[in-house]
Amino acid sequence: MGVKLGEYPVKRIVKRDGRVVDFDSRRIREAIKKAMLSVDKYDENLLDRVVEYVLQVIAEKYGAARTPHVEDVQDIVELALVRFDLYEVAKSYILYRKQRERVRKEKMLILETDYLDEVDKRFSGNALRLMASRYLLKNEEGRLAERPKQLFQRVAALIVIPDILYDPLIFDVEAKQKPHPQESFSPDSWAGKIGLGKDSEGYHVYWNKWHLERMKKLYDNLNAQGCMRHPWSVFWEMLLAGTFDHHYQDYLNYYNLMVEKKFMPNSPTLFNAGARLGQLSACFVLPIEDNIESIMRAATEAAIIFKSGGGIGINYSKLRPEGDVVFSTSGVASGPVTFMRIIDTVTEVVKQGGKRRGANMGILEVWHPDIEKFIRAKEREGVLENFNVSVLIDDKFIECLEGDIPYELRNPRDEKVWGAKSPSHLFHLIAEMAWKTADPGVLYLENINRRNPLRKVLGDIRSTNPCGEEPLYEYESCNLGSVNLYAFVRVAEGRREVDWDGLQEAVKIAYRFLDNVIDVNNYPLPSIDEMSKKTRRVGLGFMGLADLLFALRVPYNSEEGFKLMQKITEFIAYHAYSESIERAKSRGVFPLYWQSSYVKGQLPLEGFYHRELWTMNWDRIAEAVRTIGIRNSFLMSIAPTGSISMLADTSSGLEPVFALLYEKHVTVGVFHYIDPEFENYLKEAGLYNEQIFKLVADNGGSIQGLDVFGEEAKKVFVVAYDIPWWDHVRAQYHVGLWVDAAVSKTINMPSWVTVEDVENAYIFAYKLGLKGITIYRDLSKSSQVLVTPSQRESRYITQVENDTLEIMKRLGIDVKLPSSSVSMKVGKQLQVSAASLDVEPVVSLEVGNGGEKFSSCPECRGKSLVWQEGCVKCLDCGWTSCVIS
């Protein structure tokens, strides 16, 4: 046709939203390639010819003077495919166009708009629906007041403020300045008039009054410490003059990290950053003493935290037992469980006015005389509906259990012995109640505190947040965030691998993000503000592990899978610690550093004490921590990510996926949701069709037992109930080696397991050094929406070679299963049948969270509710009862 590609005249193209952008011929090539692959007609030479023809037609039709519209280009592609007799490919391409048009219309409906910007397009309809219902600010009429782009701008604009105020031009890390006089400031008068990234047309991002209010608060706080080189008025003039405009790049780093779905902070940060409440943390622990004043104060403080969007943990062990004397009234104490109901009622009342329910972790230590009543507290429905409960077990109890020695119970009021209990009886009771109701969980006191760097100065940590991944001191809080591992899969030389350089950069930015949250957080109570800044705890974790393993074709519960989990967690921890050390140089150490074990070069990571496990230079970190210091007392936490992982379109936390494919019910109808990496596999394998979708959906979202799939695929593409419970425990162990706080993980068990299996899980977890464990036996809280073969056939179907059972045997743990149905080899998985087990599943028609029952999703009224990460989750809209995710 006479036009050489190097002389191609069309340089720009008009997008659907009216924007004119650079023309990229690679997008045409990729679209045609996808259409070819979808009908198994891929031919690279033919692809080159079709693309060349399309580009020549566009060149002849538009030349250098005219700019084509994207729809015009797509019309030309359709005609080209027909010209080359690629009718099936043309049909696939046309169907894809129609599907994309449907998706665009659905997104516009969700966002109440008539166009989509570049950020809207990045996120799925699923994610946008969740944003619109949960995260985007609304006006007084309940209509959306911002778009996803504005949400992430609002958050990033707040998070960058500490970078400005800690700039050496204004901040003195040696704190040698005399505090400047307090100056008045009106955030309202400057709202929307100042920001970052100034050019001839104004600022690229503007601060609102809530941003400016937090800026002034942080300045005043640092000024009071003698760290500000100049008075507020001088700083303000410097800001107006653009002195700190180089921090616009920091703003872009935070913004892009979220928009590119590489990282998301915990939900309260997305809700409240740059908004009226300004409370950014999810996790809190409150004290409660053995008097009515303290009890009622705890109820009041809990209400304030719930109102701000957080959840709380309380250890109730200081309260005297039921039947003990109350000297002030000559009455009789009612015990801790009764007083837990006060907090439960407060949660119920406050949640009605907020975005979601509050959540509680109620803890009682195993030596308390009311321990049996506590263990049975949630046996009956309707009691403590807003609580997760956990028993805190000490080493002495385990010693008594192993030696069959009676275990003493003590009155916390005077430490007098109130009798003794059979430890095996208590242990069996805990397991039995967890088997029946999924409560209580178990926490291990010494495992939590063995590497605790603040143990000598603050004593033992005896409480956790509602989901257990953050053991916290009283009045301490933590802000969490998760890196999306799936975003760091790349193709190199024809094979998929982890983009370690990209992950390292993301970890550094994500860490800085979370450290900045501490400084601009509007804490709900002054005591929490003070304690949180003493320890400067952050919780960096990850999501998307299951999808990353899918992409790399590594079985979740293989030795290779466990090793990769461990390596990735170590890698994240290493670079988070490195960056915290760098921050200590420029901003100072956390206030309790000098009283911590860090000054001796000791790290609160179990993996650090096992040199044979290292893949990074931890000697360098230990020496730097000792000689330079560190900015934060704790850095790592693997939290539930139910909602934020749905925003990022990836799997939750370190959990396996719940289903590879299932029917999703939304306002515009019913369609199949497919895990993104499983979808890639189906296309590569030529199995991407409605018949396969229905086959997998009818199989509970699992591919086990389906002959159409090969054995390797069955090992790789496993869902939660395909994986034996002991491998769930082991996954938590390998990740936990490099986590200084703790790990939130559901140990999924099918309905046919026994109480003894639960006991074995507890012992296995304890001996591996886990800090806590939560089991969920299928049907103990819900009717099952998705029933996989392992649930339906009462046996684990998939056999993946690993060493878990051998490890358990070495630890003295014997998994007893019916010999008639066990296929056991050392180093291999069991194939287990429970046909002969006398197990009566506890079935209800509703899903429970704590004790709260949901017959349908409170957000979308859908029925597709499942139990994951210790929370109720709606598969249709992404709603979750968890306050963190």
Side-chain angles (χ1 to χ4, degrees), residues 338-357:
T338 301
F339 287 110
M340 288 170 67
R341 292 174 187 157
I342 296 175
I343 305 295
D344 190 51
T345 302
V346 169
T347 315
E348 191 71 32
V349 172
V350 174
K351 78 176 183 185
Q352 295 172 5
K355 293 190 177 183
R356 56 189 175 162
R357 67 189 289 277

Side-chain angles (χ1 to χ4, degrees), residues 320-321 324 367 369 409-418:
R320 69 191 71 187
D324 193 19
W367 50 259
L409 305 182
R410 306 188 312 276
N411 186 336
R413 176 177 58 82
D414 55 13
E415 291 297 311
K416 289 183 178 178
V417 175
W418 263 44

Side-chain angles (χ1 to χ4, degrees), residues 36 79 143 169 171 204 208 246 270 413 436 475 493 520-521 615 629 631 665 671 680 696 739 756 786 806 822 845:
M36 285 179 161
L79 293 171
R143 297 185 65 81
L169 293 171
F171 177 76
H204 287 271
N208 64 31
H246 55 285
L270 295 175
R413 176 177 58 82
K436 285 182 177 180
Y475 286 126
E493 298 180 357
V520 288
N521 200 345
T615 66
R631 180 69 172 159
H665 300 257
F671 67 96
N680 290 341
V696 178
V739 173
E756 186 179 12
L786 305 166
E806 181 62 30
V822 174
L845 296 178

Side-chain angles (χ1 to χ4, degrees), residues 716-727:
V716 169
F717 292 99
V718 290
V719 300
Y721 284 106
D722 294 335
I723 299 170
W725 61 258
W726 45 84
D727 284 339

